[in-house]
Amino acid sequence: MAPSSTLGASTTPTPGNPFRNERVGSMRDTDDIQHLKDGLAPPARTAKEARSLSNANMFGPRGASLANTGPGPGSFSSNLKNLNAPRHAGSRPDLNTFASREDVISDEIGASERRQADFREKINKELKIKTGSENLLDALLQKPSKQSKDQRFKVESELSSSNRKIAELKSQLEDEIERSRRPSTPSQNQNRLSSLFRGSPLRSPSRVDLLSDGEHIEVSPEVESPTFVLAETLQALEVEGMQPDYYVSRANGLVELFKRHPTLKYDLAWSIFGLRVQTMLLSESREVVAAGYRVTRHAIADRKSLQTVRRLHTDSLVMLSLVKESKATIEREQALKFIRVFLDVKDGVKELSNAVVRTVVSVAEHPEDRLRNMAILTLTEILIRDGALVKNAGGLAPLSDALSDGTYPGSESLISAFLYLTDAPQLRNILSSGRELEAPFSAFTDPLVAHGHEEKLKVNARSIASILNSWPGLFSLAARGFATLRSLILSLSHPEPFARDLVLDLLFDVLHIKPPSWTSSFLAGRRLTTYGRVTNIKPDQMEQQWQVESEDDANRVNLIDQYTALILAILVHCELIKALSDLIEEAVDSSLRRKTTLLLGEVLKLANYSLPAAVSSNLQVLPSLMKNPFQGIEDDSQGPPISSIIYQVDSVNRTLYRTSATTALTVNNKIKPDNNNNNNQKTADSSKPRLSVDMDEIHFRSLLVETQVVSTVNYLKWKWDLILDIIEGPLLNPKRLDEAIKATKFLKRLVGFYRPFKYRFSNARNTKPNQRYVRVGCALFRCLLQTNEGVQYLTESKLLRQLAECLAQLDRMSGLTSTSPLFAADRVSETMTSGYFTLLGALSSDAQGLVMLARWRILNMFYRIIDVQDRADLIQLLLGNMDFSIDSHLRVMLSKALTSCPKAIRIFSTKILRKYATQDIPTDNQGTASDVAFWAIRLLVTQLYDPEVEVSEVAVQILQEACNRKPYLEYVVKCRPALDHLGEIGAPLLLRFLSTSLGYKYLDGLDYITQEMDDWFLGRNEKYVTMVEASLSRALSHESERPRSIVDEPLLRQQHGIVPPHFYRELTRTMEGCKLLKDSGHFEEFASTIQNFWSESEDAETMLKLKGCLWAVGNVGSMELGAPFLEVSDVVKYIIMIAEGSEVMSMRGTAFFVLGLISRSLHGMEILVEHGWDAATDQNGQSLGYCLPPSLDILFSIQPAVVAPTSAAQITLQTMPPARDEDDPTEARVVNLVIDLGNTVLTKRAIGELHSIRNQTPALFKSVAVFRRVMYIFECHRFRLPVMRFVIDMFDKKVMRQIVLEEESEESEDETESQPTTAKPAPST
């Protein structure tokens, strides 16, 4: 007769699928991964669940389901709720009401980062609301004012509210960032913890007398004895007959004790502690079992403790927990967390048994399992630490499936694990086929899979981008002539619109093509010649592009550009141009055709710039389209004519060229820059027709009437675009200006509009459309300053007088007060009042304007504003809008702000100096720009000694940028700055000094060069490798960086991907440095290391040293004076051998980058040409630093990996447990039937026979020996999770108790005591 209590729910065969698993909710995403750090909660006390621990050990029936009304099981809350809330009978207690945080004493930095992320999310939301409101307001301004007056008022109110919320959120974010930088004291954490757990049953047992009935004794954590509390708690766990929450609360108390006293775990008496853990893990209550896993993993300290824990038979217990049904989620989740503890201990992965890993693999293979994502994450981490273990357990298949399915949310981490294994040959052998990285491409190459799976395609597109942005990924795709990439490009021919569009976006991404500003308009169908469409580029973008173009190319080596050139060459080799041409010809959707046309134009432009002439010259003619250019002219049923397509591609190319040319020209022609007003001014459109300065009087008067200024005082009806054209055109003529002043009301009303006490401009809302008022005002001021009549008119107007009066209200000593000051904080943020500082900044750019400011004592008011302590917004407005090009009182104010204001203002003022310290060197002999730059450099050198390191760091970064120009570099050296107190922060600036003879002599006098040379030779080269690889990783990653403020954007244009300054590179810029390098013999030592170890692929330390030598040689060879060192040592030949023959893919990538550095010098390029490599050059024949081998097959040829067969020694159990008796065929039949369950064809028959044998011979399923043989089979073979659950449920529950507590049943007393167990023997360390 069958026993009344078994591990299964029933012993009778039931119709249907015996492995049916109940489906769980939608909580299969990233919450599973986040739950790995959640805590455990005790269950509620209910009458039905009031079972004793001793009864729980008897493995009674489970009872009711685990359903609850809150979130799914295992989604633990951090709130401590009422533990005595009764639940209705027949249901499990609500786990969420007993949640306990895993990290009560959480890392404050992590908590602060979460709060900062919340603030940033709210700010982004408000910014979107603000943008939408501004766009709506801009549209309403085009309608008649009477019709849209109410709507405009509502939109302006919403916009003001958004501005106010954004300001508050930014202030709170800055406070949180500042708070996170302040270290917290331990007492603060302890007080916070004590207040959190006060009055809660989840407190540590040290605060409650567990043995007394109702009498609570509070104990301070500062005076508690951890060993006494531990002994007290372990004794309390001996009590039997208590409800489950009793044991859970004591276990949580132990966890908190281990957190408060981390060293306590090293002194545990495992003979007693282990017995308590075993008792909890054998409990019937799932919550008690989960608490046992939790307290055990917090007690683990090192590998030795792992071995001790495994001797408690935890491997079998973990397998038993993981195969349970989904309603036991809390137990299964804690069991999986227990496995993950092995990964946190050094060499702990070596203690993971093959049986446990196979169970995790079964969970990962089960698509309906809620813990599937957590299991995949765990397998991924094990794969990195011990790939052979995952391979032997069959874990590569579910990881590959997760990669191809596109449903796993952490696909990037999974890709990183496979890329890590693909890099080195000894790790590459772990991969079975070597084609695991091709899995994400299948979603695009199969049209049936691509249709209707948009989210899957997006995830796979990100995975493909990660593969293409790494050297191991690129080499893995090179097999069979880049067949995988060819199939991806050919997928553009599949008529699936979403997949096509996603592939185009992917190509934009991997080629690092940033779409121009007119992309959205072009894709919408507007013509490229539309007014203001092409050349209306933001000034900060123009300044950035010109800044990059004007810098010394030798100082900026962008490795990302070189890598992009290689990817482009590969894509061109895979016939990308032909695929795009065919798509343009075949596409029915006009938007898709335009997007493809834009990509084709960008690809042709990039190829012309970065690829050698031999490769790019054949691409520009578009051979696939030029075969029949007149096709489709007579019959357009198949799409637009080929000639029209060619014309559109040519139009895009010309537009791209005109955009870049206009950008450089516009920035270069700034004579007196209004850089402070750039955010408020539109860029001049060179193609826009300007009004003539020599306009006749009749035409001029008609234009004035057309502006509506002379006919109405309602400024909402004025045509501001026409007003701006008149100011920048006819009003520059003194005659027309005089006429506008004396004969019309045009200028009077226009200037009156800006008068503060008219409350027109000053009351206008601070919105994006209203910024046109500021642009017109600045243009008007500059226009009036051009002539004597204009200067006189502006001087005598009431505008400056009233502005001076309003500014005087900020000075308490002036005697002028107001109940509603014009420059109050709320008015400055919500209205256009802040625009007055922009108007005054336009005056400060001219000497006559400074005279006006001095006449009305406005400069005196500026001094007062600098002294105001609680108005940082006004100080930033003032300093950010003034022009300091002229030597005046304004420079004195800036110097005062740099030294005496708070830190935030000092940092802001330091950043203002950037545009003056980095401006172009004048070509004339006046030297005005140089004088301004020298003034800014002197102030920046002073900022190096600021007491705050943040200020000094900003100054160092700006000086580094200024040193890109040799005259400015020499002037910085003449200032003789002392940078010893800055340490690593000032080291890059000192390296820049080596690039001139003056700087070399200065540093040589300080004995800096010899010390730095020895430092780099003995270890800094290896640190440089880490720095470069980290920079490349950040540049190629797809994680968006944390948003910076507007002030930070122009300063730190992130240098990711740029080659950092190298000591030997800077040393070889001068003859003195080359002589020192030759005398030291360091270069010969680097070359010798490369020659001796070029084929190294196993020793990590040697490979790191080899990479350091490669970067040193490459940096020396990139300079014209250092290139001769290459020919003497013939080291280039060995670098090419590394690039073409190394078995380590990342080593090949390093050699490729180094060859690009060498090609930057003329001598180095000649050496590469002699070896068959080709380099890209510009129109003047100068190398761009991009070189390619004669054939891509040479660069990407690699030996196939030899997959090592799995040996018997790799199995955890070395010997299979023998049968009890050779004459017992029934036991052998059970074992064979279990093996048959692994075969889906034989599963149904095996199930029926097992049920029959169990009914006939129930004692066989109480045998410990049979159970061990079954566990051994699970360890050696692959089984699905429902199969494992079914087999284990067939056995009596007492079997596990006998194994764990090493109790022998009557049946097994006669057996030998040498039976092996499921637990893996502890390996010798």
Side-chain angles (χ1 to χ4, degrees):
M1 181 177 178
S4 60
S5 175
T6 65
L7 289 179
S10 174
T11 61
T12 305
T14 57
N17 184 2
F19 305 132
R20 184 176 67 248
N21 182 32
E22 72 178 24
R23 295 177 179 267
V24 294
S26 59
M27 304 184 62
R28 294 173 50 199
D29 297 328
T30 53
D31 293 340
D32 297 337
I33 300 175
Q34 294 174 354
H35 288 163
L36 292 176
K37 292 189 176 180
D38 289 341
L40 180 66
R45 297 187 178 187
T46 59
K48 189 163 184 173
E49 296 298 326
R51 300 190 182 101
S52 66
L53 187 60
S54 60
N55 294 333
N57 292 337
M58 296 301 295
F59 293 91
R62 279 296 183 186
S65 66
L66 194 60
N68 55 25
T69 58
S75 55
F76 308 119
S77 171
S78 60
N79 299 323
L80 299 175
K81 301 181 181 179
N82 184 16
L83 303 182
N84 298 320
R87 295 290 305 271
H88 60 278
S91 65
R92 283 286 181 179
D94 187 359
L95 303 177
N96 298 290
T97 58
F98 309 105
S100 162
R101 298 182 70 174
E102 173 69 18
D103 296 323
V104 178
I105 314 177
S106 62
D107 189 1
E108 290 194 358
I109 297 179
S112 177
E113 289 180 352
R114 289 193 295 271
R115 290 192 293 270
Q116 294 176 28
D118 293 338
F119 283 132
R120 291 190 176 93
E121 184 178 356
K122 294 178 181 178
I123 290 174
N124 291 334
K125 181 179 179 181
E126 292 298 331
L127 287 175
K128 292 179 181 178
I129 297 176
K130 177 182 177 182
T131 303
S133 301
E134 289 176 345
N135 294 336
L136 179 58
L137 187 59
D138 197 7
L140 292 176
L141 289 175
Q142 308 299 327
K143 298 181 179 180
S145 58
K146 292 183 179 180
Q147 299 179 5
S148 59
K149 181 178 180 180
D150 295 338
Q151 293 179 344
R152 252 196 342 266
F153 177 76
K154 293 180 181 179
V155 175
E156 288 179 350
S157 301
E158 182 66 26
L159 194 56
S160 300
S161 175
S162 296
N163 289 329
R164 185 164 54 253
K165 290 180 181 178
I166 291 173
E168 293 175 357
L169 290 172
K170 286 184 177 180
S171 176
Q172 294 174 4
L173 177 60
E174 292 176 357
D175 294 341
E176 182 61 37
I177 294 175
E178 186 68 24
R179 190 183 303 113
S180 65
R181 293 176 179 174
R182 293 195 296 265
S184 59
T185 60
S187 60
Q188 292 175 336
N189 288 336
Q190 293 169 354
N191 293 337
R192 173 169 165 261
L193 180 64
S194 61
S195 63
L196 181 63
F197 281 91
R198 186 175 294 119
S200 170
L202 302 183
R203 289 176 304 175
S204 168
S206 64
R207 306 178 191 207
V208 183
D209 189 356
L210 301 176
L211 301 180
S212 60
D213 296 332
E215 182 181 358
H216 295 269
I217 302 176
E218 296 290 339
V219 181
S220 173
E222 289 82 1
V223 297
E224 69 178 359
S225 172
T227 54
F228 175 77
V229 174
L230 177 62
E232 185 181 54
T233 307
L234 293 178
Q235 185 179 359
L237 289 175
E238 291 183 3
V239 180
E240 297 183 357
M242 304 299 291
Q243 297 181 6
D245 67 318
Y246 172 87
Y247 304 102
V248 173
S249 63
R250 271 58 184 179
N252 286 340
L254 280 179
V255 171
E256 300 304 328
L257 182 66
F258 287 139
K259 289 180 179 179
R260 290 195 302 273
H261 304 281
T263 59
L264 183 62
K265 64 184 69 174
Y266 293 96
D267 301 325
L268 279 178
W270 281 96
S271 58
I272 301 176
F273 183 81
L275 182 61
R276 301 296 176 269
V277 168
Q278 286 178 321
T279 306
M280 295 183 69
L281 295 180
L282 289 172
S283 172
E284 178 186 334
S285 172
R286 303 186 184 104
E287 292 78 21
V288 175
V289 176
Y293 283 124
R294 183 171 183 245
V295 71
T296 305
R297 62 187 173 90
H298 279 87
I300 293 175
D302 49 20
R303 186 178 178 182
K304 183 178 180 181
S305 59
L306 286 177
Q307 297 171 355
T308 304
V309 167
R310 293 192 62 244
R311 283 194 289 268
L312 302 177
H313 304 276
T314 54
D315 288 354
S316 300
L317 291 168
V318 167
M319 293 176 63
L320 179 65
S321 296
L322 287 179
V323 300
K324 290 182 179 179
E325 296 181 354
S326 59
K327 60 184 180 181
T329 302
I330 186 173
E331 177 183 341
R332 300 176 70 233
E333 185 171 332
Q334 289 296 326
L336 192 54
K337 290 180 181 180
F338 172 76
I339 297 174
R340 293 182 58 83
V341 174
F342 286 69
L343 306 178
D344 297 333
V345 178
K346 182 179 180 182
D347 295 332
V349 70
K350 298 179 180 179
E351 296 298 326
L352 278 175
S353 66
N354 197 33
V356 171
V357 178
R358 278 194 181 274
T359 309
V360 177
V361 170
S362 299
V363 176
E365 288 178 333
H366 195 52
E368 303 296 333
D369 200 296
R370 181 179 175 274
L371 299 182
R372 178 174 181 265
N373 289 339
M374 298 168 61
I376 292 176
L377 176 64
T378 305
L379 288 177
T380 303
E381 297 185 17
I382 300 176
L383 182 65
I384 295 177
R385 291 174 170 85
D386 191 352
L389 179 60
V390 176
K391 178 184 177 181
N392 295 333
L396 292 179
L399 295 181
S400 299
D401 294 340
L403 200 57
S404 60
D405 289 344
T407 56
Y408 179 59
S411 59
E412 287 84 356
S413 62
L414 194 53
I415 286 291
S416 301
F418 280 109
L419 292 175
Y420 171 75
L421 295 180
T422 310
D423 186 27
Q426 59 271 23
L427 297 177
R428 203 179 306 137
N429 296 335
I430 295 174
L431 301 178
S432 302
S433 64
R435 303 174 62 177
E436 286 77 7
L437 291 176
E438 298 178 6
F441 291 83
S442 60
F444 292 93
T445 56
D446 188 351
L448 298 178
V449 177
H451 181 69
H453 297 82
E454 286 79 6
E455 291 300 325
K456 176 180 179 179
L457 290 176
K458 289 180 181 179
V459 173
N460 286 349
R462 291 197 299 268
S463 301
I464 293 173
S466 300
I467 294 173
L468 290 174
N469 284 329
S470 66
W471 284 109
L474 208 57
F475 276 92
S476 63
L477 299 179
R480 305 178 307 280
F482 298 97
T484 308
L485 277 179
R486 290 180 185 272
S487 63
L488 178 66
I489 294 175
L490 289 176
S491 67
L492 290 172
S493 60
H494 297 163
E496 183 61 36
F498 185 82
R500 282 178 166 180
D501 189 72
L502 202 56
V503 171
L504 293 180
D505 291 336
L506 175 63
L507 293 174
F508 272 107
D509 186 16
V510 298
L511 292 175
H512 300 90
I513 297 175
K514 184 178 181 181
S517 59
W518 43 266
T519 299
S520 58
S521 301
F522 173 68
L523 296 181
R526 301 186 182 96
R527 296 181 60 187
L528 294 176
T529 55
T530 303
Y531 165 75
R533 189 76 60 196
V534 175
T535 54
N536 186 20
I537 305 173
K538 292 182 179 180
D540 57 343
Q541 294 176 352
M542 295 193 306
E543 183 181 357
Q544 177 180 357
Q545 181 174 352
W546 176 247
Q547 180 68 26
V548 174
E549 292 177 356
S550 62
E551 288 177 349
D552 183 12
D553 290 338
N555 293 335
R556 295 179 60 88
V557 181
N558 196 334
L559 299 178
I560 300 301
D561 292 344
Q562 184 179 352
Y563 188 81
T564 303
L566 178 62
I567 293 182
L568 178 60
I570 295 173
L571 293 176
V572 170
H573 177 70
C574 296
E575 300 182 349
L576 174 64
I577 303 297
K578 182 180 182 301
L580 294 178
S581 302
D582 293 343
L583 182 57
I584 295 174
E585 185 178 352
E586 298 172 1
V588 179
D589 186 5
S590 59
S591 177
L592 180 63
R593 187 188 305 116
R594 284 176 170 268
K595 189 172 186 177
T596 310
T597 303
L598 178 61
L599 177 60
L600 181 57
E602 291 279 8
V603 168
L604 293 177
K605 175 186 173 184
L606 185 61
N608 184 50
Y609 173 74
S610 59
L611 296 184
V615 179
S616 63
S617 58
N618 296 329
L619 304 177
Q620 306 300 326
V621 296
L622 297 177
S624 58
L625 290 178
M626 292 301 294
K627 291 180 179 178
N628 190 4
F630 301 104
Q631 177 183 347
I633 293 181
E634 298 179 357
D635 182 14
D636 57 353
S637 59
Q638 301 299 326
I642 300 299
S643 57
S644 174
I645 296 175
I646 296 174
Y647 172 78
Q648 196 173 37
V649 173
D650 181 65
S651 177
V652 170
N653 273 325
R654 286 186 283 105
T655 305
L656 290 171
Y657 176 78
R658 185 165 66 250
T659 301
S660 58
T662 304
T663 300
L665 181 63
T666 305
V667 179
N668 195 26
N669 290 339
K670 288 182 181 179
I671 300 174
K672 287 190 175 182
D674 275 329
N675 294 338
N676 47 353
N677 305 328
N678 276 343
N679 293 330
N680 301 325
Q681 296 181 13
K682 286 185 178 178
T683 307
D685 187 358
S686 59
S687 62
K688 176 182 174 181
R690 294 292 181 183
L691 296 179
S692 175
V693 178
D694 300 327
M695 184 179 296
D696 60 89
E697 181 179 353
I698 298 176
H699 190 193
F700 177 68
R701 284 181 176 270
S702 66
L703 287 177
L704 294 184
V705 174
E706 188 179 349
T707 61
Q708 301 291 325
V709 176
V710 297
S711 59
T712 178
V713 295
N714 187 357
Y715 66 92
L716 296 178
K717 297 182 179 180
W718 296 354
K719 296 183 178 181
W720 289 95
D721 293 336
L722 182 58
I723 294 173
L724 181 61
D725 293 341
I726 293 175
I727 292 174
E728 295 178 344
L731 280 189
L732 295 177
N733 189 334
K735 185 175 181 180
R736 299 280 83 84
L737 178 62
D738 184 67
E739 181 179 349
I741 293 174
K742 298 179 180 179
T744 66
K745 296 181 180 180
F746 177 79
L747 213 57
K748 179 181 178 181
R749 286 186 174 175
L750 191 58
V751 175
F753 165 73
Y754 291 98
R755 284 167 55 184
F757 296 149
K758 288 282 188 179
Y759 296 108
R760 296 178 180 176
F761 175 77
S762 57
N763 275 3
R765 294 290 182 178
N766 186 10
T767 62
K768 184 177 180 181
N770 287 348
Q771 296 299 322
R772 57 184 177 175
Y773 304 148
V774 180
R775 291 193 292 270
V776 172
C778 292
L780 178 61
F781 277 21
R782 288 194 297 270
C783 175
L784 294 176
L785 290 174
Q786 298 298 321
T787 60
N788 294 330
E789 294 82 358
V791 171
Q792 182 180 0
Y793 180 81
L794 189 57
T795 305
E796 296 175 355
S797 68
K798 296 181 181 180
L799 174 59
L800 295 181
R801 186 187 312 167
Q802 292 181 6
L803 269 178
E805 181 179 345
C806 294
L807 289 172
Q809 297 172 2
L810 299 172
D811 183 11
R812 300 176 181 177
M813 305 300 295
S814 64
L816 297 177
T817 58
S818 174
T819 57
S820 179
L822 182 70
F823 292 102
D826 55 341
R827 289 182 60 89
V828 169
S829 61
E830 297 179 2
T831 66
M832 294 302 299
T833 303
S834 58
Y836 281 119
F837 288 98
T838 309
L839 300 179
L840 295 176
L843 290 179
S844 66
S845 62
D846 190 272
Q848 294 288 345
L850 290 172
V851 173
M852 296 181 196
L853 296 179
R855 175 182 177 181
W856 293 109
R857 304 291 190 272
I858 295 179
L859 291 178
N860 294 357
M861 297 302 104
F862 286 171
Y863 277 109
R864 300 296 185 185
I865 292 176
I866 297 295
D867 293 332
V868 178
Q869 296 295 327
D870 56 346
R871 293 301 303 275
D873 57 332
L874 278 183
I875 299 177
Q876 291 186 0
L877 275 174
L878 171 62
L879 299 177
N881 287 283
M882 293 300 111
D883 192 338
F884 300 96
S885 300
I886 301 177
D887 191 2
S888 62
H889 281 278
L890 295 177
R891 290 190 178 183
V892 180
M893 296 177 197
L894 183 60
S895 300
K896 184 177 181 181
L898 287 169
T899 54
S900 62
C901 285
K903 182 180 72 173
I905 301 298
R906 298 204 305 274
I907 294 176
F908 181 85
S909 305
T910 306
K911 292 176 180 178
I912 291 176
L913 294 173
R914 175 185 174 273
K915 60 185 175 185
Y916 301 103
T918 60
Q919 61 185 348
D920 295 333
I921 302 174
T923 55
D924 55 11
N925 296 326
Q926 296 179 1
T928 305
S930 295
D931 294 339
V932 175
F934 292 162
W935 161 76
I937 289 173
R938 289 195 300 270
L939 291 181
L940 287 171
V941 171
T942 305
Q943 292 304 99
L944 296 176
Y945 310 109
D946 192 277
E948 295 290 344
V949 179
E950 292 88 344
V951 180
S952 302
E953 187 174 4
V954 173
V956 168
Q957 293 170 354
I958 299 175
L959 286 175
Q960 278 186 261
E961 192 173 348
C963 289
N964 289 326
R965 295 165 176 80
K966 188 175 181 179
Y968 298 164
L969 171 60
E970 293 180 348
Y971 187 79
V972 174
V973 175
K974 290 180 181 179
C975 293
R976 303 178 67 85
L979 300 175
D980 295 341
H981 63 289
L982 296 179
E984 292 294 331
I985 296 177
L989 185 59
L990 288 175
L991 287 181
R992 300 304 301 272
F993 289 178
L994 287 174
S995 59
T996 63
S997 298
L998 182 63
Y1000 181 89
K1001 295 177 182 178
Y1002 170 64
L1003 295 178
D1004 190 34
L1006 299 176
D1007 198 23
Y1008 168 82
I1009 298 178
T1010 54
Q1011 295 181 8
E1012 193 73 6
M1013 177 178 284
D1014 294 339
D1015 191 13
W1016 277 80
F1017 183 75
L1018 296 176
R1020 288 282 290 278
N1021 272 329
E1022 287 74 10
K1023 295 181 180 178
Y1024 184 85
V1025 174
T1026 305
M1027 186 189 308
V1028 174
E1029 293 181 351
S1031 176
L1032 280 170
S1033 177
R1034 286 192 294 267
L1036 294 174
S1037 66
H1038 287 77
E1039 297 180 1
S1040 57
E1041 292 190 1
R1042 184 170 297 174
R1044 303 178 182 272
S1045 64
I1046 298 177
V1047 180
D1048 293 335
E1049 288 178 359
L1051 176 64
L1052 280 180
R1053 304 214 159 85
Q1054 225 15 294
Q1055 303 298 310
H1056 297 331
I1058 304 297
V1059 177
H1062 197 285
F1063 174 79
Y1064 291 99
R1065 175 186 175 87
E1066 304 300 326
L1067 189 66
T1068 51
R1069 290 180 182 272
T1070 60
M1071 295 298 298
E1072 297 88 347
C1074 291
K1075 184 177 183 302
L1076 178 62
L1077 178 60
K1078 182 178 179 180
D1079 296 339
S1080 65
H1082 288 184
F1083 189 88
E1084 289 76 9
E1085 185 67 26
F1086 296 148
S1088 176
T1089 301
I1090 295 174
Q1091 294 174 9
N1092 295 332
F1093 300 101
W1094 71 270
S1095 60
E1096 180 63 41
S1097 61
E1098 296 182 0
D1099 188 18
E1101 185 177 351
T1102 303
M1103 287 191 293
L1104 180 62
K1105 184 177 181 181
L1106 179 60
K1107 288 182 179 180
C1109 295
L1110 285 172
W1111 283 112
V1113 170
N1115 278 280
V1116 171
S1118 65
M1119 307 306 300
E1120 294 295 342
L1121 294 179
F1125 286 94
L1126 301 174
E1127 193 170 10
V1128 174
S1129 59
D1130 197 21
V1131 70
V1132 176
K1133 178 180 70 175
Y1134 293 94
I1135 298 177
I1136 294 177
M1137 291 170 62
I1138 294 176
E1140 296 178 354
S1142 176
E1143 295 185 9
V1144 182
M1145 297 178 180
S1146 59
M1147 186 68 71
R1148 286 195 182 192
T1150 301
F1152 178 78
F1153 285 133
V1154 169
L1155 291 175
L1157 283 176
I1158 293 175
S1159 69
R1160 299 184 68 86
S1161 63
L1162 181 60
H1163 201 89
M1165 185 170 60
E1166 293 175 352
I1167 297 176
L1168 288 176
V1169 172
E1170 292 177 359
H1171 288 83
W1173 283 57
D1174 197 2
T1177 58
D1178 57 12
Q1179 297 176 352
N1180 299 325
Q1182 298 293 328
S1183 175
L1184 299 173
Y1186 314 140
C1187 61
L1188 291 175
S1191 173
L1192 291 176
D1193 296 333
I1194 297 177
L1195 181 63
F1196 289 99
S1197 61
I1198 191 167
Q1199 295 295 330
V1202 179
V1203 180
T1206 303
S1207 61
Q1210 293 173 315
I1211 304 300
T1212 303
L1213 297 180
Q1214 284 77 16
T1215 58
M1216 181 175 178
R1220 285 193 316 164
D1221 190 354
E1222 295 180 357
D1223 298 330
D1224 188 0
T1226 307
E1227 180 177 335
R1229 182 58 181 163
V1230 169
V1231 172
N1232 292 331
L1233 289 175
V1234 171
I1235 297 176
D1236 290 343
L1237 287 175
N1239 188 336
T1240 56
V1241 178
L1242 305 176
T1243 299
K1244 187 175 182 180
R1245 179 182 60 82
I1247 292 173
E1249 290 194 28
L1250 283 174
H1251 276 296
S1252 176
I1253 294 174
R1254 188 177 185 276
N1255 292 330
Q1256 297 175 3
T1257 316
L1260 194 61
F1261 290 89
K1262 298 179 182 179
S1263 171
V1264 174
V1266 176
F1267 185 80
R1268 285 174 174 171
R1269 288 173 62 84
V1270 169
M1271 298 298 285
Y1272 177 83
I1273 293 172
F1274 286 161
E1275 183 176 21
C1276 299
H1277 302 282
R1278 172 185 171 274
F1279 289 89
R1280 293 183 295 119
L1281 191 65
V1283 172
M1284 298 178 66
R1285 183 186 308 126
F1286 169 77
V1287 174
I1288 292 179
D1289 286 348
M1290 296 283 292
F1291 285 86
D1292 191 281
K1293 296 180 179 180
K1294 295 180 181 179
V1295 174
M1296 183 59 66
R1297 179 182 179 86
Q1298 295 172 8
I1299 292 177
V1300 173
L1301 298 181
E1302 298 180 354
E1303 298 176 354
E1304 295 295 335
S1305 63
E1306 297 179 358
E1307 181 184 4
S1308 59
E1309 286 179 355
D1310 299 333
E1311 300 178 5
T1312 59
E1313 298 180 357
S1314 60
Q1315 289 284 358
T1317 62
T1318 313
K1320 186 176 86 171
S1324 58
T1325 57

